[in-house]
Amino acid sequence: MWIYEKKLQYPVRVSTCNPKLAKYLIEQYGGADGELAAALRYLNQRYTIPDKVIGLLTDIGTEELAHLEMIATMVYKLTKDATPEQLKEAGLDAHYVDHDRALFYHNAAGVPFTATYIQAKGDPITDLYEDIAAEEKARATYQWIINMSDDPDLNDGLRFLREREIIHAQRFREAVEILKEERDRKKFF
Amino acid sequence: MFTTRKQYEPYISPFDPCPPIRVKTYVTAPNQYVGFQPPNLPQFPLHEALKKGTLWKIFYDPYYGPYEMKRKGDQQ
């Protein structure tokens, strides 16, 4: 069960009307290394992972949903008042024809989301290494979006999300260390 | 000095069609160096931590794009 808090994890500000940025951001919405893929991956893998790291997958999977909500807010703000003409200029004409200004789970190139983006192999080390790779890929994607954007307010939010990817990758690495740990070995902190 | 920004110089052919980018860069984030996080590491004050996205100073590694104006208070 979840409890919903009706606020964003980090405030989303957008300073310029630039629907083109929405086209890039949608990669983190419905792309292979996006927040939706991340949330679904972790919240599904957690059933068949050793008890010690289930909570980590639950926590991070939940946080990814909060990130998804931030990305959605960014995309919505960038497109809600754009005219069809502006959307056309931004390369979103095909999106407009199918969806108006609604959000949809596809990547920056318009390819719809698919469950084949994620895996659950059932082998704990294998799954955690996929999760580490997913976080690093998302970190890199945020860098490429920041490289394409001149909006300092938007980039501020993206920087926060990128920092969270670094932390998540760190925690997944620690989960691997926990699973590698030899039983009954005494550890002192 | 240590940095999480690494550089390399790729081979440049005399017959390349575009003006060459002589130095390529990539990021090696702090999580590559820590292993299992040791206890008692320095922390940011709580309100700052909420803004930065991490409580832990060693993991803070912000990324800025080439086209954005740096604002007052931005680090690095």
Side-chain angles (χ1 to χ4, degrees):
Chain A
M1 191 169 95
W2 274 268
I3 292 169
Y4 183 76
E5 240 183 284
K6 197 173 160 59
K7 56 182 159 187
L8 294 174
Q9 189 189 6
Y10 187 90
V12 165
R13 286 227 178 78
V14 178
S15 48
T16 50
C17 172
N18 186 355
K20 199 154 205 170
L21 292 174
K23 190 176 160 69
Y24 306 145
L25 282 167
I26 211 77
E27 183 68 31
Q28 291 290 34
Y29 195 65
D33 310 314
E35 304 291 355
L36 179 71
L40 296 180
R41 180 185 295 113
Y42 308 149
L43 293 176
N44 179 60
Q45 287 177 354
R46 67 187 171 138
Y47 293 96
T48 48
I49 205 112
D51 299 17
K52 278 180 179 172
V53 298
I54 291 175
L56 180 72
L57 287 175
T58 309
D59 287 355
I60 296 181
T62 301
E63 187 178 340
E64 303 295 358
L65 291 172
H67 294 174
L68 188 69
E69 192 181 34
M70 283 177 63
I71 297 292
T73 306
M74 290 173 180
V75 172
Y76 174 68
K77 278 177 182 250
L78 285 162
T79 52
K80 72 185 175 81
D81 298 316
T83 62
E85 195 56 44
Q86 285 173 312
L87 291 172
K88 194 174 176 180
E89 273 171 41
L92 287 167
D93 42 347
H95 180 100
Y96 178 77
V97 166
D98 195 10
H99 305 289
D100 189 350
R101 291 171 190 81
L103 283 79
F104 193 69
Y105 293 115
H106 53 201
N107 72 6
V111 180
F113 183 83
T114 160
T116 54
Y117 287 157
I118 64 177
Q119 177 59 296
K121 191 52 75 175
D123 178 78
I125 298 295
T126 307
D127 283 348
L128 284 171
Y129 270 100
E130 176 184 336
D131 301 346
I132 294 166
E135 295 293 340
E136 299 293 358
K137 285 190 280 182
R139 171 187 58 76
T141 307
Y142 278 120
Q143 289 169 203
W144 312 154
I145 298 174
I146 289 171
N147 283 352
M148 298 290 280
S149 158
D150 58 0
D151 187 326
D153 282 323
L154 188 81
N155 284 7
D156 185 57
L158 296 176
R159 243 187 303 284
F160 173 87
L161 290 167
R162 178 183 170 277
E163 181 64 37
R164 296 307 301 155
E165 310 293 350
I166 294 174
I167 298 297
H168 289 170
Q170 169 67 21
R171 299 306 170 221
F172 284 134
R173 284 166 192 278
E174 289 170 355
V176 171
E177 293 307 312
I178 288 171
L179 297 190
K180 278 159 61 182
E181 192 99 76
E182 286 172 54
R183 266 179 23 165
D184 306 327
R185 218 193 93 205
K186 288 221 169 68
K187 188 158 189 179
F188 300 99
F189 284 112
Chain B
M1 211 194 99
F2 177 76
T3 170
T4 55
R5 304 296 190 268
K6 305 293 193 289
Q7 300 185 332
Y8 66 99
E9 292 171 26
Y11 170 71
I12 307 291
S13 160
F15 307 112
D16 286 341
C18 304
I21 300 173
R22 297 194 174 276
V23 178
K24 302 264 185 173
T25 60
Y26 59 98
V27 173
T28 51
N31 59 19
Q32 300 296 316
Y33 301 95
V34 178
F36 205 102
Q37 183 179 332
N40 304 317
L41 290 180
Q43 301 180 350
F44 290 117
L46 290 184
H47 270 86
E48 229 179 289
L50 283 172
K51 275 209 72 184
K52 288 181 172 2
T54 180
L55 180 61
W56 308 100
K57 289 185 177 176
I58 47 159
F59 292 125
Y60 182 58
D61 183 38
Y63 183 90
Y64 293 89
Y67 303 119
E68 63 181 309
M69 306 265 286
K70 280 195 185 163
R71 301 173 305 174
K72 275 181 198 163
D74 281 347
Q75 298 205 344
Q76 212 188 34

